[in-house]
Amino acid sequence: APMRASAVGDADQAAGQKVIDEQIAAFRSDNADQAYAAATPAIREMFGSKEAFMAMVRQGYAPVYRARRHAFGPSRDLDTGFEQSVEIQDETGTDWDAIYSLERQPDGSWAISGCRLVKRPGDAV
């Protein structure tokens, strides 16, 4: 088989995408436990409680918190894991790119270590 350019294989990418899917679903249903559990221990430690985490997401990441729909774009390798881009449409119909970073945990699972939102070009503000 040819060498893959990517250190993160298809199975890992699918596993990471499942974590993102589950977290977006958890936000939509206000399942703080599940949403918080998808974050890395470092992120959880930074917020200290699932309530503080959810409040931050509601305020700073409204498109992710109430995504009308989402679709996975390309991913790229990082030293710590990989980045996964997600096209998101928010409740008002505005399109965003959410760039998630995922880190492999000691048990082999994936967790979300960060997310940055970029409004897609061409959208009226």
Side-chain angles (χ1 to χ4, degrees):
M3 287 288 289
R4 281 183 60 91
S6 172
V8 174
D10 293 338
D12 285 329
Q13 188 179 2
Q17 289 178 353
K18 185 169 185 282
V19 173
I20 295 170
D21 275 334
E22 287 172 353
Q23 192 185 58
I24 288 174
F27 287 141
R28 195 176 286 140
S29 60
D30 285 311
N31 183 336
D33 290 318
Q34 190 180 343
Y36 195 53
T40 59
I43 295 284
R44 294 200 302 265
E45 197 173 297
M46 192 161 61
F47 289 99
S49 76
K50 62 190 180 206
E51 292 80 12
F53 175 74
M54 292 294 277
M56 177 279 298
V57 174
R58 269 196 306 275
Q59 289 156 14
Y61 293 86
V64 172
Y65 181 65
R66 286 291 183 261
R68 185 185 285 176
R69 59 178 176 77
H70 68 281
F72 292 108
S75 66
R76 71 182 187 98
D77 291 353
L78 301 172
D79 290 342
T80 52
F82 70 102
E83 266 186 353
Q84 174 66 55
S85 75
V86 185
E87 297 167 21
I88 287 180
Q89 187 176 75
D90 71 16
E91 283 187 305
T92 65
T94 303
D95 292 319
W96 300 78
D97 285 315
I99 314 297
Y100 283 83
S101 48
L102 292 114
E103 290 180 6
R104 195 191 297 275
Q105 302 307 293
D107 67 359
S109 68
W110 289 92
I112 297 167
S113 59
C115 176
R116 61 181 200 275
L117 277 174
V118 182
K119 190 169 281 184
R120 303 205 70 182
D123 267 346
V125 176

